[in-house]
Every structure is written in structure tokens, then in C-alpha cells.
Amino acid sequence: MLIGDVAYRFHVSVRSVRNDLSQLEQFAHIHNVTLERKRGKGIVLVGTPSSMQSLLRTLETYGRRILDPEERLSVMTASLLLRDSATFQLLANDCGVSRQTAIRDFSEVEAVLKNECISVVRCQGKGLALEADELNIRHAFVQLLADNPCPDCISDLVAHDEDMCLCMPFAKEIVQHAKAILGMGFLNEDYIETLVCYILCRIQRRHTIQSASYEFELSSNAETLDSLRIMLEQYVSQRDERTYLATLILSQRIGPFPSQRERTEADAMNGEAEKLSRQLVDALGKYQQIDGVAVKDVISMLTEHIRPALYRKHNNIQLHDENMESYLRLTSPLILEFTSSTLEECGVDFPPSEIAYIAMYLTSIFEASGGEDLVPTILFVCSFGLATSVLLKSRLERLLFGCRLVGPKSLGEAEEYLRRNDVDLIIATCEFSTSVAPVLRVNPMLTQVDIDRVKGYVNQLPYTKMSSQFVKHYAEQKHEKTFHRVTDYVFDDDIQVIDACESWQSAIRLAAMPLVQRGLMESRYVETMIHAVCELGTYMVLTPGTAYVHAGVNDGISDDCAAILVSRSPIKFGSENAKNVRVIVVLGIKHQDKSDLLALASIFGASRNLESLARSDISTKTIALMHD
């Protein structure tokens, strides 16, 4: 445990804890336990199981002081405010009295809470719970801390509450950032940290406010309040909650408001956010005509997000969200890489998590502006009777609402149609094969199994279409400047051609083998790639017939690398909603700003290369010479 945590636990200063450490060492030594100081962990007690048990038994003999009635009243009130529910026995334990005493004193607790417009209700199987407007509960806790007759006991309750312990580090960060924004300190920093921690804990437990009626009305506070709201965005998603916390922090300030220089800096940051937002949208506009009216709100939200992101960057505050970053890298890798490269061109060095959130907004803008270009076209092929075809088409139209449905067509009509038109999916009730689009075979009566398969596949069609369109526009833009060649990114020895493979898992392992053998990639990286496909589906199939697989930067990769496996026979890729692929591109991404995904996707998405990859005489030499 860190010394600071011990100080907080016992409501004393860090200096007091350090002064007492020598006595603690002597006390522990008597019981054959040593106190060690470990870097990054703090102070740790080390001993055998028997010596630790002996120390615990000794500590249990030390009694706690007996609380007087007023102190018991505060402790029981705090216990109810801190928990979603409590029992009389739990309240008794908190006060160190019998259950009967807690029951006897409880009427006074109810009276105190009633003054705050809070009722206590008995919940079957849970115990005692509070019922009131959320603002009243929070106000009661603020008042309790301010007028607390036994601060050590309340601190003890807070320190033993699991949710409060989890939220406290964030509360401390918020208070420190608030001091920097306000240019001042707080009269009682521990007090404001506990208040902020309590609010974060209530939000985490889904006890949120519904209005911002408490917001300061003084115009002189408006800019300061907005700065605090921006800072709080990385901790709290709800705007009303950010306003509440900002107002609470302002109420505890001491000293003057921010200077003119600080306000000028805030205005400059707002202008920087608007400029960067425009640059990102303009860059995206090179690959997709942006519908300014349709995406006006999304662009506004993008700007609102960039503002606190710049604040965090300028103040060296790191935003960490590995789950979001990993999810975007797997489900929207093309626009994620585009976002990273565009920010680099703009001279802005954001950490990966910030880039991931910005990429989410750009993905929404791209999709919303796509219009008819992103509507999937589905060809319906049926060789059965007219009545069956009409019934099946009617069911498919309801199932595939929002898609462009063509047909039903006979086998001959379908082949003729495909010679003149592009489709994204073919749903057939009979045996039908083609290399230009994936084919789903269904029962003419469309069973539930068929419905689930179709739904699963169609859900990914807009994404697949968006990826293909993005790659196409990307290649067209880059074509004016330079070619991308396979050999620019992949060594000849890392390209393989096989006749067939028994499974997509084996194909990934085989594709990665040259990188593993050279020590660039660990086996766990390969297994993580396979797990990602099982977990998230076939999002890695970004261009027709090609899957681009990778894992995280910390999953066992030593340097940037890539490998390619081409199968002459199609491989069913994915456990659910499998897609036929011929190419597996393994990407070892160690430095996220140097990923080769966009360049390789533009090569393998080119129509002439798709035709070459489908030929039976495809060779490693042919692949190595491919370019976009």
C-alpha cells in the first residue's frame, strides 16, 4: 500500500505516516513480520502464514473507542448514504454497538434524513434503502461531511467502501486538474476529494441527476464553469453531471478567478479545436463527398470532443481506453489509420485512445454521407415455382429492409445480370456459384436458421461496402502521387501460395509462420488474432476475398512486419457468417503510426489484382509485383 493511501485511510498527513513507520516496524518485528518498501507498490508486510495470523489475532484484541449518540447518528447516516442498501446489523457493526442499539437509535437517523427530504424504505431481501431525488441525497452527504462530529469514523467508512476506493484516484486527479484550471487551491483538499469521489461513485451506480437547475447563474463564472466541464469530459459522460461537479468544485474554491491570460489561452484552444475539426473533415472529403447538412451535428460533436482532447494534450493528461482502441482497430481499421495519418499531417500528436475516439466520429460522418453508394445490393436467385419465389421475395423484403433487392432471377438471368452489374451478396435457393460476390444458399421456405444466417451476413454488408469504397477512393487519391507495391511492405520470403487449407485458423497460423520463425512475432500474437476473429466476427475482410488480421501492440510483437498467404481454393473465413477469402494478410503492428494496412488494402482491393489472385497459376512472384 502506498503511504498516501495509508494517510487517506486514517485521515492524517503523509508526514505523520512516515514518522510512525519506525514504530510500526518494531511492532511487526515482535511478531516475526517485516515491513518492506517496494518500488511502485509502497510498503508491504512480509511474513509466514503463522506469523501473519499471530499479528492479526493481536490486532483483534485492540478495541475501538465507543461512539457517543451523536457520533453514532452521523455514522449510521453516512453508512446509508454510501450504500445502496444496508441492514441494521451492518449499521451496528459500523458503530461498534449491538443490533438492538442500532434499531433504537434509528428513528433519529430517519428524522435527520427527513429534513433533507429523504425517506428510508424497507426492501424485502435487501434491508434499508434511501428513496429521494438524487440531488437531495447528494446534498445530505455534503452537509454530513461539513458538520461531521467524528471525521475519523466517516473516513473509515469511506476507506472500506469498495466503490469509493476505486473512484478515489480519479477524484484526486480531478481536484488537481481543477486547481490548475482555477489557478488556486481549496481550503480543505481532502474534503473536496471525498465529495468528488462520492459523486463519481453515485454515477457509477447509475444514480444520476436529471436537470442542471443548480448551475451558477453569475455570468462571471460562465467561462470557468465551461473549462471545468471540458476537463471533466474524460471522467464523466453526462453533461448535467459535469455541470454539477463543476459547480460543486467552484463552490469550494478560494482565491481569484482565472486571469485574462488564462481566458485567452482557453479561447485559443477553442479556435484550435475548430480548425483541427475542419482539417479532418476536409481530408475525409477527398474520399467521400461530405453531406454537410446531414452530418452537421456529428461534426459539432467532433469539435466538442477535440476541445478537451487538446486540453488533455496541452496539460499532459493521458486518456487510456484500451478496449475502445482495440475495438476500433478491429472494426474500423481503415478510417482509424486514416485518422492517425491525417492528425500527423496536421502536426498533432494524440495518443492512440484519443485517435480512436476521433475515428469514431469520422466513421459516422463517412457513413452518413455515403447515401445510395453505401446501400447494399442483394441479388435473389430462385429456380423454383412462381408462387414460392413471390413468397420468398416478400419475406426477404421485410428481412432486408434498407437494402436494394434485385430479382428473383433464374440461373441464366442471374449470370447475365452479373455481367453488367455489381452486387454485394447473392441469396440463392438453388446451387449457384460465382467469383464476383458471396453466395448464401437458403431453403425456399426460409427457415429460422436461414433467417439468422442472412441477418448475420447482411448486418456487416454496409461496413464491408464502406471499407471497399474507402479503399477505392484512397487508391485513386494516392495514385496521383505514387504507387504502392507489395514489396514495399512485405519481404519475398514472407509470401506463400498454397492449394488449399483445412481451416481459417490454420491459414492464419501458416501465414504468420515466417514471422514467428524469424522472432518478429510470438505464438501468442497469432492466437490473439484468431481469438479476435472468433470474438468480433469477420470484420477483418475489408476488401473482397482478403482478410487483414492483426492483434495489439502488446500481444507479442517486436517490430512492424507483414506476411501474405494466398490459397488457390477459397477458405471459409470466420466461425459465424463466414466469408470466402483467398488471401490472408497478417499485420504485425508495433508502431501504430506506421501501419501498412491502407496501402496493402489499396493493392489487394484493385480489380486487376482480384482477377489475378483468382487464377490457378497465381505465384509468389506475381503477388510480389502487384501494386495499386
Side-chain angles (χ1 to χ4, degrees), residues 541-587:
V541 183
L542 302 175
T543 53
T546 303
Y548 304 80
V549 293
H550 61 85
V553 295
N554 298 315
D555 290 328
I557 191 78
S558 62
D559 202 357
D560 295 323
C561 53
I564 298 169
L565 175 76
V566 176
S567 173
R568 293 188 177 93
S569 300
I571 301 169
K572 284 194 174 298
F573 184 82
S575 300
E576 295 184 7
N577 306 316
K579 297 179 180 178
N580 285 335
V581 302
R582 291 181 181 272
V583 184
I584 303 287
V585 177
V586 170
L587 294 168

Side-chain angles (χ1 to χ4, degrees), residues 25 52 89 111 163 200 213 228 254 301 323 442 471 537 542 557 581 592-593 596:
E25 285 180 297
M52 296 294 282
Q89 186 59 59
D163 289 342
L200 294 178
S213 58
L228 289 172
I254 56 174
M301 288 188 286
N323 291 334
V442 300
V471 169
L542 302 175
I557 191 78
V581 302
Q592 295 178 350
D593 58 334
D596 302 324

Side-chain angles (χ1 to χ4, degrees), residues 83-102:
R83 299 182 174 98
D84 281 347
S85 63
T87 62
F88 282 118
Q89 186 59 59
L90 185 58
L91 298 180
N93 294 342
D94 290 339
C95 296
V97 296
S98 67
R99 181 175 181 274
Q100 202 58 38
T101 301

Side-chain angles (χ1 to χ4, degrees), residues 1 24-25 28 33-36 43-47 52 55 59:
M1 179 179 286
L24 177 60
E25 285 180 297
V33 175
T34 59
L35 185 147
E36 296 183 0
I43 51 178
V44 181
L45 289 175
V46 179
M52 296 294 282
L55 179 59
L59 292 173

